[in-house]
Amino acid sequence: MASHIVGYPRMGPKRELKFALESFWDGKSSAEDLQKVAADLRSSIWKQMANAGIKYIPSNTFSYYDQVLDTTAMLGAVPTRYGWTGGEIGFDTYFSMARGNASLPAMEMTKWFDTNYHFIVPELGPDTKFSYSSHKAVSEYKEAKALGINTVPVLIGPVSYLLLSKPAKGVEKSFALLSLLGKVLAVYKEVIAELKTAGASWIQFDEPTLVMDLDSHQLQAFTEAYSELESSFSGLNVLIETYFADVPAKAYKTIIALKGICGFGFDLVRGTKTLDLIKSEGFPSGKFLFAGVVDGRNIWANDLASSLSTLASLESVVGKDKLVVSTSCSLMHTAVDLVNETKLDDEIKSWLAFAAQKIVEVNALAKALAGHKDQAFFQSNAAAQASRKSSPRVTNQEVQKAAAGLKGSDHRRATNVSARLDAQQKKLNLPVLPTTTIGSFPQTMDVRRVRREYKAKKISEEEYVNAMKEEISKVVKLQEELDIDVLVHGEPERNDMVEYFGEQLSGFAFTVNGWVQSYGSRCVKPPIIFGDVSRPKAMTVFWSSMAQSMTSRPMKGMLTGPVTILNWSFVRNDQPRYETCYQIALAIKTEVEDLEAAGIQVIQIDEAALREGLPLRKSEQAFYLDWAVHSFRITNCSVKDTTQIHTHMCYSHFNDIIHSIIDMDADVITIENSRSDEKLLSVFREGVKYGAGIGPGVYDIHSPRIPSTEEIADRINKMLAVLETNILWVNPDCGLKTRKYPEVKPALTNMVSAAKILRKQLASAK
């Protein structure tokens, strides 16, 4: 019985690639140094899988930034603004597309389906010229082969690549991206031919868009694409891999009918209905089924007995020799290795499996199906499953009762938003086009050092508080010097917006090295929600009150919302997600009430990840949005009219959920806008009325580029064309933690200057 891994984490067990990338970007190391770190990581990953007994080992899942950007490079689909003139795409062009540079903005970045990973959106048009311009897939295959490991090169499938693209600037929004299929396939044929010559026997095409609600024209594109490629597949085994959700019946029928395809991979963790389809619709004779029964998106140990039962039921459908045990998706969405976790207690640790452990689970299931069951391993797994179900640490009856008591109310504030904004303006007395930032300020090496030393108990609590107080004071003074209207304290005490809160809530556990890539070199360390959630004591009141005492200007209290905490954590899988979300909402509600009681007049409850959790299938979206929006309203339903509630959302497509955003009933929303070509504004041009305060971001903080005053003023003018003057706020796209002060100061200076210029123009126009 064979085993397969869809993909593997790239950053390394201790974020080795992150540090190598940042050193290279800062000019402290060479391209050769970066390439050496990358090669060592790839070698280690391939050897690890080979030693674990995995038969189908992926290659070309490693990336210096993003696998979709790698495909753009492979196809030579570089936007003309980057001045690329042909040849093999190097780091300068590649990272300019990803991050921008001193003179050019980066390409749009958005969420990869419903994950916290971000990809770089291809910009295509009728004049895009495609050419084979990055040989990465072939070179990595050869690299593994030189180590004696025959891998399965992984390519983003041609149809999914086009469906995930957008029309380039200046191209009609109605441009049919699928009309480029023939041109794209010409390059894919070259890649396939070169892989075949190099000795590849299998190629994996990731076509995750197959789990979406596709129309007949889009489904037909898959038939056309793989028919066109069929002759190129001669002598090769080809796998089409899907993940993240059920494959709809029409899509299932379409792909199993494709010619030249030897195997099909399905997510059977999030796609349980696909399992029913395989059994009811049948499976093509002689083809391989890559059964994704080991969860690639969570950290819970697999229930091996249950998975073995699922696999056994599939054997009778596809045949024993055609069933391959696999992960549900790439393991890049989970942490790397549980061995590196020295501070998790033994009980919780026994419930978990990170990427390295999931490889072992996959192989153990494959061996068991082949009649070589490791009895001790299965018994240990069964004991851990039983321990988790019966542990008193998981259940808190008081929390369960409070969450159950939420039924029967929609938890709306008593007064409408227009009346609330009037009451707030009388108290806050803000100018037209008020300026603010999203929360965090640059985290200097000194700030990070102090946090590390405090955690390691090398400095006292008093020394830690004094150091943080000094940093907050600097941030407050800087904002006053810049003449920003509503201030933030900069969050120097927080390494991560979710981890910080999870550390202070019950029901959470934390890792030391459980890092997961979010985008580029940015990694997050998701908390583990293992039990019922409650707030034992105040979490932010001390810092917010301290910051407010330093200024007469409004100081925002900064919280992370319940939906974002949920979506950016590894969530317990033994109860519905909405039940856990309601528990978190109640915990945040008590914090909001304490902040208000402490005199904080503006409270921001970030819901950066609300859109991210939207189910991929339309039929499931209304239910999610109902409980997600309700959870947000729970957090602030009891505050006074004069307390201004802000929320923030970033890097997603918002237009399709704008009515749910309105239904959140926040007083002010700040939202990503600049990097997505101001796509958000189109919804207001189309007639959607928004009565609350809104701050579409005026510049992209994920790029080191500093926007000019004129550029920002131009953006604000575009916003004023579709939004009322009295509701518009001026702010960056997102928090400033990842930037440096030499970038932040001039950017914010220009932002405030632009707002003042527009204020004068508006005043003189009256």
Side-chain angles (χ1 to χ4, degrees):
M1 187 63 61
S3 51
H4 167 250
I5 304 297
V6 176
Y8 201 78
R10 311 157 177 160
M11 285 289 119
K14 296 189 177 175
R15 296 181 292 164
E16 291 87 345
L17 181 61
K18 168 191 170 66
F19 299 121
L21 281 167
E22 291 173 354
S23 176
F24 173 69
W25 293 335
D26 290 342
K28 295 176 182 175
S29 61
S30 66
E32 290 74 21
D33 294 330
L34 174 59
Q35 289 164 336
K36 170 81 166 56
V37 171
D40 288 345
L41 281 172
R42 287 192 296 266
S43 171
S44 171
I45 291 165
W46 290 326
K47 288 176 181 177
Q48 180 185 8
M49 284 191 257
N51 292 337
I54 301 298
K55 180 176 180 180
Y56 299 110
I57 296 171
S59 60
N60 198 40
T61 59
F62 177 88
S63 178
Y64 287 105
Y65 207 92
D66 161 51
Q67 71 268 24
V68 181
L69 182 62
D70 292 349
T71 310
T72 295
M74 181 186 85
L75 295 169
V78 180
T80 54
R81 66 179 177 273
Y82 297 108
W84 176 70
T85 55
E88 189 79 4
I89 289 175
F91 280 157
D92 281 353
T93 300
Y94 182 85
F95 288 128
S96 290
M97 289 192 287
R99 307 176 70 237
N101 56 40
S103 58
L104 292 167
M107 295 169 70
E108 181 184 351
M109 180 171 71
T110 197
K111 295 288 174 72
W112 179 243
F113 294 84
D114 58 348
T115 75
N116 186 30
Y117 178 74
H118 303 65
F119 74 97
I120 304 297
V121 182
E123 303 172 13
L124 307 177
D127 299 327
T128 302
K129 292 180 172 59
F130 297 97
S131 61
Y132 188 12
S133 304
S134 170
H135 294 66
K136 175 179 172 292
V138 178
S139 62
E140 286 190 17
Y141 173 79
K142 289 179 176 177
E143 190 181 317
K145 193 175 181 183
L147 297 170
I149 301 170
N150 191 28
T151 59
V152 179
V154 179
L155 303 173
I156 298 290
V159 183
S160 287
Y161 177 79
L162 292 175
L163 290 176
L164 293 168
S165 301
K166 71 172 186 177
K169 201 163 189 177
V171 174
E172 287 291 329
K173 298 301 178 191
S174 59
F175 173 67
L177 292 159
L178 287 175
S179 67
L180 300 171
L181 187 57
K183 295 178 181 178
V184 166
L185 291 177
V187 179
Y188 273 88
K189 287 178 181 179
E190 291 185 68
V191 180
I192 293 163
E194 198 170 313
L195 284 169
K196 196 191 299 187
T197 301
S201 55
W202 278 85
I203 298 179
Q204 175 179 318
F205 288 90
D206 282 7
E207 293 282 13
T209 56
L210 279 163
V211 304
M212 309 289 283
D213 294 307
L214 302 180
D215 60 34
S216 57
H217 174 65
Q218 291 167 325
L219 287 174
Q220 181 62 24
F222 288 93
T223 302
E224 292 172 4
Y226 288 94
S227 295
E228 178 67 22
L229 292 174
E230 185 182 359
S231 59
S232 301
F233 293 155
S234 177
L236 281 170
N237 295 292
V238 176
L239 163 66
I240 290 184
E241 184 67 50
T242 68
Y243 36 77
F244 298 152
D246 290 299
V247 175
K250 286 183 180 178
Y252 179 78
K253 290 174 183 176
T254 298
I255 59 172
I256 63 170
L258 295 178
K259 296 174 182 176
I261 308 301
C262 299
F264 305 93
F266 299 110
D267 181 340
L268 300 182
V269 176
R270 290 183 174 235
T272 51
K273 292 177 186 173
T274 305
L275 189 64
D276 298 331
L277 270 178
I278 293 168
K279 292 175 181 176
S280 63
E281 297 291 336
F283 192 78
S285 176
K287 306 288 186 182
F288 289 87
L289 170 61
F290 287 70
V293 293
V294 173
D295 192 351
R297 287 184 58 174
N298 217 326
I299 42 66
W300 302 109
N302 188 270
D303 184 340
L304 295 178
S306 175
S307 292
L308 193 58
S309 174
T310 297
L311 291 164
S313 71
L314 288 169
E315 273 188 333
S316 60
V317 180
V318 302
K320 194 163 193 169
D321 61 331
K322 297 298 181 184
L323 186 60
V324 180
V325 182
S326 183
T327 54
S328 65
C329 62
S330 171
L331 296 174
M332 66 178 284
H333 305 290
T334 190
V336 180
D337 195 343
L338 198 53
V339 168
N340 297 317
E341 300 308 322
T342 54
K343 294 188 178 178
L344 281 172
D345 67 70
D346 289 343
E347 182 181 34
I348 288 179
K349 205 169 179 179
S350 74
W351 302 342
L352 307 178
F354 291 0
Q357 289 68 47
K358 289 177 186 293
I359 288 172
V360 175
E361 290 178 339
V362 167
N363 201 52
L365 286 165
K367 286 170 68 178
L369 271 178
H372 306 291
K373 187 176 183 181
D374 184 335
Q375 295 292 350
F377 187 71
F378 270 72
Q379 286 168 6
S380 172
N381 176 267
Q385 298 292 324
S387 159
R388 187 175 161 216
K389 285 176 183 173
S390 61
S391 174
R393 302 170 69 180
V394 171
T395 305
N396 181 324
Q397 293 299 334
E398 192 175 320
V399 172
Q400 296 262 348
K401 186 177 178 182
L406 294 170
K407 293 172 183 173
S409 170
D410 61 4
H411 296 90
R412 292 183 185 276
R413 291 168 76 178
T415 312
N416 69 46
V417 69
S418 177
R420 298 199 308 261
L421 288 174
D422 287 344
Q424 292 155 15
Q425 179 58 15
K426 285 174 186 172
K427 194 163 187 179
L428 297 172
N429 194 29
L430 297 172
V432 172
L433 305 180
T435 55
T436 190
T437 64
I438 303 305
S440 60
F441 265 64
Q443 299 228 334
T444 64
M445 297 299 288
D446 283 343
V447 166
R448 295 177 189 275
R449 175 185 54 76
V450 169
R451 276 205 314 262
R452 279 197 309 272
E453 289 178 353
Y454 179 58
K455 277 199 167 184
K457 299 186 177 171
K458 291 181 180 177
I459 60 173
S460 68
E461 183 173 6
E462 184 180 2
E463 289 172 306
Y464 170 72
V465 169
N466 286 338
M468 292 297 108
K469 184 175 182 179
E470 184 179 343
E471 182 66 21
I472 291 168
S473 177
K474 286 179 188 174
V475 170
V476 171
K477 284 177 183 172
L478 172 61
Q479 292 172 92
E480 288 184 326
E481 288 167 8
L482 293 169
D483 204 17
I484 291 173
D485 300 305
V486 176
L487 310 190
V488 298
H489 76 284
E491 304 174 12
E493 79 284 8
R494 305 179 194 182
N495 176 58
D496 177 87
M497 62 187 285
V498 174
E499 182 179 7
Y500 175 80
F501 289 97
E503 284 178 335
Q504 300 181 77
L505 295 168
S506 64
F508 283 74
F510 291 86
T511 63
V512 175
N513 288 298
W515 298 100
V516 179
Q517 184 185 20
S518 178
Y519 62 87
S521 68
R522 169 79 171 141
C523 297
V524 294
K525 197 164 41 147
I528 298 165
I529 306 178
F530 68 85
D532 290 334
V533 178
S534 62
R535 185 199 76 146
K537 61 181 181 179
M539 302 180 284
T540 65
V541 176
F542 174 77
W543 301 111
S544 292
S545 299
M546 176 194 290
Q548 183 64 81
S549 72
M550 297 175 181
T551 181
S552 59
R553 301 186 184 208
M555 174 65 61
K556 286 198 275 192
M558 299 300 303
L559 303 174
T560 302
V563 185
T564 297
I565 291 176
L566 183 88
N567 285 336
W568 285 356
S569 299
F570 290 125
V571 183
R572 58 190 292 190
N573 57 2
D574 59 344
Q575 71 176 16
R577 288 172 71 87
Y578 65 84
E579 289 187 13
T580 302
C581 199
Y582 285 151
Q583 292 176 2
I584 302 169
L586 286 170
I588 299 299
K589 179 176 182 285
T590 56
E591 186 72 14
V592 168
E593 290 165 353
D594 283 354
L595 281 168
E596 184 183 56
I600 303 301
Q601 300 174 66
V602 181
I603 302 171
Q604 182 169 307
I605 308 166
D606 285 344
E607 282 297 12
L610 187 139
R611 174 62 173 78
E612 175 186 311
L614 189 70
L616 301 176
R617 304 291 290 283
K618 288 175 184 170
S619 60
E620 300 167 10
Q621 291 175 357
F623 178 65
Y624 165 79
L625 288 168
D626 181 64
W627 63 256
V629 169
H630 187 192
S631 295
F632 176 82
R633 289 201 306 264
I634 288 167
T635 65
N636 60 89
C637 62
S638 60
V639 300
K640 301 170 189 170
D641 287 355
T642 50
T643 298
Q644 191 166 84
I645 298 296
H646 288 224
T647 191
H648 171 68
M649 295 182 178
C650 58
Y651 296 98
S652 281
H653 297 298
F654 300 111
N655 294 21
D656 56 346
I657 64 161
I658 191 66
H659 293 288
S660 293
I661 291 173
I662 293 169
D663 200 37
M664 291 170 73
D665 199 27
D667 296 310
V668 178
I669 179 170
T670 52
I671 197 162
E672 184 275 328
N673 171 66
S674 64
R675 189 158 178 171
S676 61
D677 255 348
E678 295 153 348
K679 199 182 294 178
L680 172 71
L681 299 185
S682 66
V683 78
F684 301 112
R685 292 189 194 102
E686 290 160 10
V688 170
K689 298 297 180 189
Y690 193 78
I694 184 167
V698 296
Y699 78 91
D700 174 24
I701 65 87
H702 289 94
S703 170
R705 181 175 168 273
I706 298 163
S708 67
T709 299
E710 294 73 23
E711 181 184 332
I712 294 175
D714 180 58
R715 280 221 164 96
I716 298 170
N717 268 320
K718 287 180 181 175
M719 296 170 191
L720 287 169
V722 293
L723 293 165
E724 296 293 332
T725 306
N726 64 335
I727 66 170
L728 187 61
W729 285 63
V730 177
N731 47 262
D733 264 347
C734 207
L736 303 170
K737 179 167 66 175
T738 59
R739 300 269 54 89
K740 297 179 174 63
Y741 274 107
E743 300 158 355
V744 165
K745 288 179 183 177
L748 290 179
T749 297
N750 293 347
M751 183 187 84
V752 173
S753 296
K756 289 180 175 179
I757 289 169
L758 268 296
R759 284 174 195 159
K760 283 184 181 177
Q761 291 178 3
L762 290 167
S764 63
K766 283 184 179 178

